[in-house]
Amino acid sequence: MTEKEMLVDYLLRLGDNSLILGQRLAEWCGHAPILEEDLAITNIGLDLLGQSRLLLTYAGEVEGKGRDEDKLAFHRDTMAWRNFLLLEQPNGDFAKTMARQMYFDAFQYLQYEALSKSSDPQLAGIATKSIKEITYHRRHSSNWVIRLGDGTLESHDKMQTALNELWGFVHEMFDMDDVDNAMLAKGIGVDVAALRPAWDQYIEEVLAEATLSRPYVTWSVRGSREGKHSEHLGYILAEMQFLQRAYPDAKW
Amino acid sequence: MVVTADIEKVTSVLEMVKDPEIPVLSITDMGIIRNVEMKGDRPSITITPTYSGCPAMDVIEEDITIMLKLHGIEDFELKTEISPAWTTDWMTAEGKRKLREFGIAPPEGTSKSALLGHDPVVTCPLCGSKETTVVSEFGSTACKAQYRCTDCLEPFDYFKCV
Ligand SMILES: [Zn+2]
């Protein structure tokens, strides 16, 4: 990969994370347990969608092959997506959605905090803008983990189960590959491996307050950065891309 | 009619453009207009989005274009810049007053204190009581939280600090 191709790939990783999680959250629209949550979840999804628009637009500009945010969102097939496996996992029940969200919010907060000092001014600008939103997201998901964990016997069990089920997906967030290392060397990217202790500490503080335990799960899966996804991404794309697949370049 | 544009003219036209979701506020009150300058005969306007995914931004760009054309300013440049990031600290005092009159509690304190997690004391826009409690940190739009007044018991929107 050339340096330019690596930057494009790096931006797609960031943008795809936001887009796929945003799309997942949008599935809650009209289905959340209470009206306030319906509004909260969809607003968070909208923030993520906004971040992905900025990142994909920028990726398209760097690439210089005439692909804009829409082309990148709607004309790419599964193998070309770079989002974490965690984020494409189904919503499950409300506890599972909140577990997925807290794992990612806590990671994204640290990642974007570091990215706001990126040597790439455009990326630093996007990160600085987004971190204000992520601050609210992280507080929201953490508060729910605490309320459910320290709630009734049933909510406690459901929350613990959700945390356990998704634990195997968190590890790849902290992997560094060639692209990450190249971007780190240029001062553009972040050393995500170095963020793990701070992430662990944050999660442990929330879980302690929630009277929940850190999952003891030995399996882990990886592969999103090489385009190896779970079966779920295909279904997300089938729905998200339907219109542009059926009516290419349709406008409204 | 095509008029000669100057900074004052453009600025006064921009003040007529309202936030589509909070129509009592102009985009100037919101602090969305970051710069107006003349590049030769051609005005150049820089705006900044409030939230990354704010659906109002596309409408605002369209409204600016329509309003300028309506006032005879046909040729201009409209740019969006995300850096420095928009903050509620840029909302004008006039904007905050109008928000309160409209029934929305304006942002309290500074962006920094809110992002550090300090809970603000929010004044009820209906009765002025400070005895209020947060219902949800996300309201009808990304920029608002839902609150309730424990004195007059009315629910209301609070414009969050960012
Ligand atoms: Zn009141």
Side-chain angles (χ1 to χ4, degrees), chain B residues 100 108 119-134 147-152 156:
Chain B
R100 191 175 296 114
E108 300 270 3
D119 289 325
V121 177
V122 176
T123 308
C124 171
L126 305 158
C127 76
S129 166
K130 288 193 190 306
E131 299 298 318
T132 59
T133 154
V134 64
Y147 270 71
R148 189 176 49 229
C149 175
T150 50
D151 274 332
C152 74
F156 63 90

